Amino acid sequence: AQKITQTQPGMFVQEKEAVTLDCTYDTSDQSYGLFWYKQPSSGEMIFLIYQGSYDEQNATEGRYSLNFQKARKSANLVISASQLGDSAMYFCAMREGGGKLIFGQGTELSVKP
Amino acid sequence: NAGVTQTPKFQVLKTGQSMTLQCAQDMNHNSMYWYRQDPGMGLRLIYYSASEGTTDKGEVPNGYNVSRLNKREFSLRLESAAPSQTSVYFCASSAVGPGEQFFGPGTRLTVL
């Protein structure tokens, strides 16, 4: 069965430093997609970054990058130069057949001034 | 361009009452989804519709029904609400193929 695991319930990072949020996945499919979403305290789901299983290069979007290690089945999110506004819940998700997303349990990131 | 809209934003029901959560998207997406999010957890799929006229069960379909009214609208119905259905409900949509799902703002439902 397909599964997403986020092993860090909470993380702290100092403002302006980089932070890595871990995500591992399990699937027998050859074609899949991996996503990261941000959920601030206001509750909305904000798309951050996407990595396709056949993409050879790691995805990047501004301060966000996805460290994709296919053999290890990991898709860690790296946030560079953390800002106070980055404090939120972060969810890793995997797309399976039909476009459905399977979510991890999330990591709560707190950025300290 | 409103994206994905959901109504209502908040709702309180008594056990046994019924209600319908409405969702609409204006991005011409084929696929639409309903998720629920319980405290401290990620989202879990209730039902989805890969295209107009089709619906399929997700991970947690019990106690819910859905209707894909047209390409734009996908509703979720609770026939007899239970306290275990207290949750935040998100509707989402996506185009065919790779790419993100766009989420609505969510409906916070409390069942007493």
Side-chain angles (χ1 to χ4, degrees):
Chain A
Q2 294 171 311
K3 188 178 178 181
I4 291 281
T5 302
Q6 294 179 253
T7 57
Q8 306 155 313
M11 291 276 289
F12 289 92
V13 64
Q14 206 68 35
E15 192 178 9
K16 300 180 185 176
E17 291 185 349
V19 63
T20 298
L21 305 184
D22 294 341
C23 172
T24 58
Y25 62 91
D26 188 17
T27 182
S28 56
D29 291 347
Q30 297 301 309
S31 176
Y32 51 90
L34 296 157
F35 299 77
W36 278 92
Y37 282 85
K38 173 184 178 181
Q39 187 177 44
S41 57
S42 52
E44 71 266 34
M45 296 292 288
I46 301 169
F47 167 75
L48 296 178
I49 198 166
Y50 167 79
Q51 179 85 40
S53 58
Y54 293 119
D55 295 340
E56 293 187 354
Q57 289 197 321
N58 288 342
T60 60
E61 291 284 350
R63 294 187 298 111
Y64 305 107
S65 60
L66 198 152
N67 184 0
F68 181 47
Q69 297 187 43
K70 196 169 182 177
R72 301 176 76 175
K73 294 189 174 179
S74 73
N76 298 339
L77 177 70
V78 180
I79 305 174
S80 62
S82 297
Q83 302 172 356
L84 295 178
D86 293 336
S87 293
M89 283 291 289
Y90 289 81
F91 291 100
C92 180
M94 177 170 61
R95 187 190 67 237
E96 60 174 357
K100 300 170 287 182
L101 290 181
I102 301 170
F103 284 83
Q105 292 200 313
T107 295
E108 184 171 9
L109 178 66
S110 298
V111 180
K112 294 182 171 182
Chain B
N1 190 342
V4 180
T5 58
Q6 292 182 235
T7 55
K9 285 188 168 53
F10 301 93
Q11 184 71 47
V12 179
L13 293 177
K14 293 181 180 178
T15 297
Q17 287 185 318
S18 62
M19 78 161 296
T20 300
L21 280 65
Q22 307 286 356
C23 174
Q25 52 91 11
D26 62 2
M27 296 172 282
N28 202 34
H29 286 163
N30 286 316
S31 303
M32 297 185 73
Y33 312 84
W34 277 106
Y35 295 90
R36 61 178 286 175
Q37 184 180 26
D38 299 319
M41 296 185 66
L43 281 66
R44 291 184 294 168
L45 184 67
I46 304 171
Y47 270 95
Y48 69 103
S49 172
S51 61
E52 189 179 353
T54 68
T55 60
D56 284 289
K57 294 179 181 179
E59 181 185 354
V60 287
N62 292 343
Y64 305 95
N65 285 301
V66 291
S67 295
R68 183 75 183 266
L69 304 170
N70 48 55
K71 193 171 186 179
R72 288 188 64 247
E73 298 172 288
F74 189 37
S75 63
L76 178 72
R77 182 159 179 84
L78 287 70
E79 290 291 350
S80 179
S84 61
Q85 294 178 304
T86 294
S87 190
V88 179
Y89 291 84
F90 287 96
C91 177
S93 71
S94 67
V96 175
E100 66 181 284
Q101 284 189 12
F102 293 80
F103 283 82
T107 295
R108 189 173 295 274
L109 174 67
T110 301
V111 183
L112 302 175

